[in-house]
Amino acid sequence: PQDLKFDGERTFVEIGDNTVIREFVTVNRGTAESTRTVIGRNCLIMTYSHVAHDCVVGDHVIISNASQVAGHAHIEDRAILGGLVAVHQFVKIGTHAFVGGATKVTQDVPPFLKVVGNPAKLYGLNTVGLTRSNFDPDVIRELKRAYRLFFRSDLILSRAMERAREELKPYPEVEHFLSFLSNSERGLAV
């Protein structure tokens, strides 16, 4: 791995079935003894991309051309990174998130949302992706309400969480969204 702490330990890379890795992609193994970098099943890692040491990439993830994912990043299932995306170390990108091309991601990207730019800014719910994935329209509507509550109101995070628990239907997707926000360690792209 490209990590100065590496000292020849036995480490691994795990790549799931049906994942396609195109030309000139680099994937680094884990750093510390018995650690691993994991790329899930049915992913597409396009030309000139890089997945650094100790990353976890979920299933059905698309990493487009020349995107760079730094060490210890975690990309949940079905997220899509556009071309030339730079993901900072330890960042987490949520399931079904869409990261637009040439975006610099230094903070966590909540699940089901779109983010683009430098600095990265949220641009609403990934409704196109969710519709293509056959999400129930009621779930999409509730996720949209959650997005507005947290990112388009004047509420602080703790108050928005209280209101979300009171007002939103507890669909599994909504619960995952709320859990992701609660457990963010790097802060959230806004």
Side-chain angles (χ1 to χ4, degrees):
Q2 297 178 118
D3 188 336
L4 294 173
K5 296 183 300 296
F6 182 69
D7 194 30
E9 299 89 345
R10 182 178 164 100
T11 62
F12 307 92
V13 169
E14 224 174 72
I15 298 173
D17 293 337
N18 301 315
T19 286
V20 175
I21 298 177
R22 296 305 309 242
E23 302 83 7
F24 308 108
V25 167
T26 54
V27 178
N28 291 161
R29 60 188 175 148
T31 299
E33 181 70 34
S34 298
T35 60
R36 62 193 71 234
T37 297
V38 177
I39 298 177
R41 296 176 289 112
N42 301 303
C43 295
L44 173 58
I45 316 296
M46 295 186 193
T47 306
Y48 291 104
S49 293
H50 174 69
V51 178
H53 61 88
D54 304 292
C55 286
V56 176
V57 176
D59 297 334
H60 301 279
V61 170
I62 297 172
I63 299 176
S64 298
N65 296 327
S67 288
Q68 310 294 298
V69 181
H72 303 276
H74 184 166
I75 302 173
E76 293 183 345
D77 295 347
R78 298 188 182 278
I80 298 174
L81 306 186
L84 299 167
V85 166
V87 178
H88 194 280
Q89 62 193 15
F90 296 101
V91 160
K92 188 171 183 182
I93 297 176
T95 185
H96 288 276
F98 181 85
V99 181
T103 296
K104 175 182 168 186
V105 182
T106 59
Q107 293 183 298
D108 294 342
V109 177
F112 314 112
L113 302 184
K114 299 178 294 189
V115 65
V116 68
N118 183 5
K121 295 179 93 168
L122 292 177
Y123 278 86
L125 194 66
N126 182 12
T127 49
V128 171
L130 299 179
T131 302
R132 287 180 180 165
S133 294
N134 297 315
F135 271 59
D136 183 304
D138 291 337
V139 171
I140 293 174
R141 198 169 13 265
E142 212 61 9
L143 287 169
K144 197 174 287 187
R145 287 183 64 209
Y147 168 75
R148 289 182 184 136
L149 188 60
F150 282 93
F151 299 107
R152 293 296 176 254
S153 74
D154 293 330
L155 298 173
I156 62 171
L157 184 65
S158 61
R159 182 62 186 128
M161 190 63 72
E162 289 172 12
R163 288 222 5 226
R165 294 283 177 211
E166 294 167 4
E167 299 173 11
L168 299 177
K169 293 180 181 166
Y171 293 118
E173 296 84 356
V174 172
E175 291 299 320
H176 179 66
F177 182 83
L178 299 177
S179 174
F180 188 101
L181 299 184
S182 294
N183 295 313
S184 174
E185 294 180 9
R186 288 199 54 83
L188 300 164
V190 293

